[in-house]
Amino acid sequence: MSELLEVRNLSVSFDTPAGEIQAVRDVSFCVRAGEVLAVVGETGCGKSVLCKSILRLLPEIARIKKGQILLNGVDITGYREQDMCRLRGRFFAMVFQNPMTVLNPSMSVWAQIAEAVKVYGRNMSREEVEQRVIQLLDLVGLEDLKKRRQQYPYHLSGGMQQRCVMAIALAAEPKLLFADEPTTALDVTIQAQILDLIKEVQARLHTATVFVTHDLSVAAKAADRVAVMYAGKIVEIGTTEEIFQDSRHPYTWGLMRALPAFARGRDSLYSIPGMPPALIDPPKLQVGEVAVLQVKDVAKVGAFLDMGLEKDLLLPFKEQNHKVQEGEQCLVALYVDKSRRLAATMNVYSYMSAESPYKKDDRVRGTIYEINDNLGAFVAVDDQYYGLIPKREMYGEFHPGDQVEARVIKVRDDGKLDLSPRQKAYMQMDTDERSVAKEVLLKGLL
C-alpha cells in the first residue's frame, strides 16, 4: 500500500502564561491508503492535538515547532489557511468526539448535511444535492429519510448524531478520515455499531482512517496498526497483532495490564501508578533516546542512575565503556533488555541519527560519550546526531559526559559531523598567532 500521509519529527507546542506546553514531541508515523491506524494512550498524551495539527485546526496559542507533514509526498507544513481549506473535506476530514458540539442545534440534520454537500459541489443542482444527501444518509445507516428532513440534532440519540457527523465528514469522499474518540460518549451496543460502520465505510470508499481512542479493545477490533502515545510521543507502533501479542514498551505493558480481562479473580483493576507527566516539563528520556543522567549509586550489578522517579535506572557493567563513579554524569540511551526490563547503555552510537540539519560553520552543542585514543572524542550533538572532534582539534582535557560547544568544520557524505571546539577567529590566525593563542587556550584564558 502507498503512503497517503507521512509525518516526520512533528513537534507542536502551546504558549501559555505558565510556560510552553510540549503537546506533541518529535512524532513520526505514516498512514497507508485504505488502512486503519489506531492511536491509543491516556487522556492528555497528545492524541487529539496530533490529529488537529495535521488538519491545522489548532488555537492561536499553538504552533508547529518543527517537522514535516506530507500528503502523497507533498509537504503541506507551510500551507496557508486558504490552501488548507482546499484540502479539508476533500483530502481529509475529521469526526469529533462529541457530536452535539459539532451539529448546529438550530438547523435540521438534513440541512446541515446538504450544506456540506453544497460546499464541496458548488455546481450541483438542487436535485443533485438532495440525491447526494440521500446517498450519504444511506451510507451511514440512517433510514426513514422523510422523517430526517424535519429532525433537529436534539431529536436524535447519541449514536444517530454521530452518524450525521460522519455523513457531513464524508460529503466529499475524503481519502483520509480522522476519528477522534467517536465512540466515547456511546453505550457498548451503539459503540459496536459505529465501529462496524467505520469499517464498512472504509471498505466501500477505500478511505484510510486514523482512529483515536483510549480503549484498547476498540483498537483491537478496528485497527490494522496501532500507535501507542505517551507524554506527547509515539513510544511504540506496529501491527495490531504485534502490539497485543508481542508489545515491547513498558508503558504498553501497563495499558495491557489495566484491561478488565486481566482482573478476573482479583479484588480490583490494575492501574498505572502516578499521574501522566506535565508536558510543561516533560520527561527527558524515552526508550531509544539519549540523555545525560547522574550516577546515584554503584553496586555489584552495575551503576544506578537517577531519573527523578521512584526507581533508579540500571546501567549494567557490560553496557559501560569505562568504570563509572558515584556522582558522575553519564551519557546513556534507554533500552529494553531481554528480560523486558528498562536499562541504560553507554553505547549510544546505534541510537543516533547520521543525518543532521547542520551545515559547515554552524555552532552546535553536544555531550561527549566516548574518547578514542586514535580518532578523538565522539559527541552526541543535541543528544541525537553523530559528531566527532578529531584528535588534531582536541586542546585541553576532555572526558565522557562533558558538555561541549563546537563549530561544524565538515559534513561528511554519510551525514556525520566533524567538529572543532576552538573559536572560529582562532582558525583564521596565522602561524605565529596560532602558537600564542594555543598557549593561552591551554591555560584556560580563551
Side-chain angles (χ1 to χ4, degrees):
M1 290 185 289
S2 60
E3 292 181 354
L4 194 66
L5 168 69
E6 184 179 3
V7 176
R8 299 177 182 172
N9 307 113
L10 184 67
S11 295
V12 180
S13 291
F14 291 80
D15 295 317
T16 70
E20 178 189 353
I21 300 176
Q22 302 175 43
V24 176
R25 303 187 295 136
D26 201 31
V27 166
S28 297
F29 69 97
C30 67
V31 180
R32 304 181 181 98
E35 80 166 349
V36 177
L37 172 68
V39 183
V40 303
E42 294 174 278
T43 298
C45 70
K47 306 185 299 294
S48 297
V49 173
L50 174 62
C51 295
K52 291 179 180 179
S53 64
I54 296 171
L55 279 78
R56 300 278 282 282
L57 297 176
L58 297 171
E60 292 183 357
I61 62 171
R63 56 189 169 91
I64 296 178
K65 291 178 62 178
K66 69 170 186 175
Q68 290 180 297
I69 303 169
L70 291 88
L71 299 181
N72 282 333
V74 179
D75 189 354
I76 66 166
T77 315
Y79 272 26
R80 300 170 300 175
E81 178 61 21
Q82 184 178 0
D83 300 321
M84 292 301 300
C85 285
R86 297 191 184 99
L87 293 175
R88 296 191 197 109
R90 294 180 175 87
F91 193 98
F92 43 45
M94 192 164 188
V95 177
F96 294 92
Q97 180 175 349
N98 189 350
M100 279 303 291
T101 62
V102 178
L103 297 173
N104 187 338
S106 65
M107 292 176 63
S108 68
V109 292
W110 182 284
Q112 294 184 60
I113 298 172
E115 183 180 56
V117 172
K118 293 174 185 176
V119 168
Y120 303 118
R122 297 184 183 278
N123 298 323
M124 296 176 69
S125 64
R126 183 175 180 179
E127 291 74 18
E128 290 173 329
V129 170
E130 186 168 320
Q131 186 61 35
R132 179 59 179 156
V133 173
I134 293 173
Q135 291 175 357
L136 289 170
L137 289 172
D138 179 65
L139 177 66
V140 298
L142 283 176
E143 302 174 349
D144 198 0
L145 301 180
K146 291 183 179 179
K147 190 176 181 180
R148 305 297 170 223
R149 289 179 181 271
Q150 307 299 325
Q151 285 187 323
Y152 288 78
Y154 50 82
H155 290 138
L156 307 178
S157 65
M160 295 175 73
Q161 291 173 359
Q162 198 63 282
R163 290 173 187 267
C164 290
V165 172
M166 288 190 63
I168 294 171
L170 297 170
E173 296 190 1
K175 296 180 176 63
L176 179 60
L177 182 67
F178 290 89
D180 186 8
E181 301 191 30
T183 62
T184 298
L186 307 177
D187 61 50
V188 176
T189 304
I190 304 302
Q191 184 181 90
Q193 293 177 7
I194 295 297
L195 291 177
D196 291 337
L197 175 60
I198 291 175
K199 298 192 75 172
E200 181 183 345
V201 168
Q202 181 212 10
R204 289 175 64 175
L205 301 182
H206 201 60
T207 301
T209 305
V210 176
F211 195 95
V212 175
T213 181
H214 57 252
D215 191 332
L216 290 177
S217 61
V218 170
K221 181 177 180 179
D224 301 308
R225 290 193 302 138
V226 177
V228 182
M229 283 197 76
Y230 173 75
K233 283 179 169 284
I234 290 181
V235 296
E236 187 167 11
I237 188 167
T239 64
T240 304
E241 291 76 16
E242 290 171 343
I243 296 298
F244 282 87
Q245 297 178 15
D246 190 28
S247 56
R248 300 300 177 92
H249 196 278
Y251 178 68
T252 311
W253 305 337
L255 292 178
M256 295 294 182
R257 286 185 62 191
L259 288 171
F262 290 99
R264 291 173 183 170
R266 299 181 180 180
D267 295 334
S268 61
L269 285 170
Y270 170 81
S271 62
I272 299 175
M275 294 289 291
L279 294 181
I280 288 181
D281 185 22
K284 300 297 187 298
L285 188 61
Q286 302 291 335
V287 171
E289 287 190 9
V290 179
V292 177
L293 297 177
Q294 186 174 25
V295 178
K296 190 174 181 179
D297 189 23
V298 178
K300 292 182 178 180
V301 293
F304 288 94
L305 307 179
D306 185 7
M307 291 185 66
L309 302 175
E310 293 181 5
K311 293 185 178 181
D312 298 320
L313 183 67
L314 175 64
L315 173 61
F317 281 121
K318 66 178 181 178
E319 298 295 339
Q320 299 177 19
N321 55 26
H322 68 277
K323 189 175 181 180
V324 301
Q325 304 294 328
E326 185 176 336
E328 180 180 339
Q329 298 285 336
C330 296
L331 186 78
V332 297
L334 186 144
Y335 72 101
V336 179
D337 65 16
K338 293 181 179 179
S339 302
R340 289 195 169 187
R341 293 176 299 184
L342 289 177
T345 175
M346 296 180 74
N347 301 312
V348 300
Y349 197 74
S350 60
Y351 292 90
M352 292 186 293
S353 170
E355 296 184 7
S356 75
Y358 299 109
K359 58 184 183 299
K360 187 178 179 181
D361 290 331
D362 282 352
R363 303 295 300 183
V364 299
R365 293 178 181 272
T367 306
I368 295 176
Y369 64 91
E370 185 178 345
I371 304 290
N372 185 288
D373 293 337
N374 297 318
L375 299 177
F378 291 98
V379 181
V381 177
D382 292 341
D383 292 342
Q384 58 181 318
Y385 303 116
Y386 295 115
L388 171 68
I389 301 176
K391 194 173 182 180
R392 67 179 183 275
E393 299 292 336
M394 294 176 63
Y395 292 90
E397 293 187 4
F398 292 88
H399 304 92
D402 285 353
Q403 303 290 312
V404 294
E405 182 175 342
R407 182 174 63 88
V408 178
I409 56 177
K410 182 180 179 181
V411 180
R412 301 186 187 184
D413 293 338
D414 59 3
K416 299 174 185 175
L417 305 174
D418 280 1
L419 308 172
S420 172
R422 298 185 289 179
Q423 298 294 329
K424 185 175 182 181
Y426 173 73
M427 300 297 294
Q428 297 171 342
M429 295 176 183
D430 58 30
T431 306
D432 294 334
E433 290 174 319
R434 280 175 185 266
S435 61
V436 175
K438 178 180 177 180
E439 188 174 328
V440 175
L441 179 64
L442 290 175
K443 291 180 179 179
L445 300 178
L446 180 62

